[in-house]
Amino acid sequence: MKFVSIFPVMLVLLGMNTVAHAAGCAAEISAWRRAHGLSAVRADAALDRIARQQAAAMARAETVSHDVNGNFFVRIGPVHRRLAAENVAAGFLTCAETIKQWAASSGHRANLQMPGARRVGVASVAKPSSPYRRFWAMVITD
């Protein structure tokens, strides 16, 4: 009997799930913006990577911080245009819960409402051993 490892397949499936999750969350952010009279934003793979790196750094450090992975403007430099902002959060299991929390905070809400925003990247990283359980980052730019 020959055994074949399913580990590589699991990695591929997890990778596809991450992409689908980010695109779904970008769609939820677009819907929220449209509901508030703003233009939609589209998912951007480069911004997704930046958001994923930030969420992963927060998960490793078990802290919610804009600076845990370095200065935002340095991190966004390669893809930044004129406007850019970042929202971070932890402890929410779904994108909808996270958006609701951001919308309830004046600073985070201002980022969601950024005039001229066209692109967004969103990521969440699970860390079950942390009291937060899940860390979120969103990068939005023109």
Side-chain angles (χ1 to χ4, degrees):
M1 179 177 218
K2 185 176 179 180
F3 291 94
V4 178
S5 171
I6 62 167
F7 187 67
V9 173
M10 289 172 55
L11 284 177
V12 170
L13 291 175
L14 287 173
M16 289 190 316
N17 187 37
T18 300
V19 171
H21 173 73
C25 199
E28 288 185 52
I29 290 168
S30 278
W32 186 93
R33 285 178 55 87
R34 284 192 306 274
H36 291 86
L38 301 162
S39 63
V41 289
R42 65 179 168 78
D44 182 279
L47 297 180
D48 283 344
R49 280 190 299 279
I50 292 167
R52 189 170 42 256
Q53 290 167 352
Q54 180 65 14
M58 291 189 309
R60 281 190 304 275
E62 292 193 25
T63 189
V64 182
S65 167
H66 290 281
D67 299 320
V68 72
N69 198 34
N71 179 280
F72 173 67
F73 293 102
V74 173
R75 291 186 283 114
I76 194 76
V79 295
H80 169 243
R81 293 195 180 186
R82 189 177 51 86
L83 299 170
E86 174 181 70
N87 283 353
V88 295
F92 304 97
L93 298 181
T94 68
C95 181
E97 292 172 325
T98 306
I99 292 169
K100 184 177 178 180
Q101 183 273 332
W102 285 334
S105 160
S106 61
H108 293 103
R109 183 181 182 92
N111 290 342
L112 285 170
Q113 293 177 319
M114 177 189 290
R118 295 182 309 137
R119 302 179 302 155
V120 69
V122 188
S124 70
V125 172
K127 186 168 185 182
S129 64
S130 167
Y132 290 115
R133 298 181 301 171
R134 185 168 292 279
F135 295 80
W136 293 85
M138 175 198 82
V139 177
I140 191 165
T141 189
D142 59 349

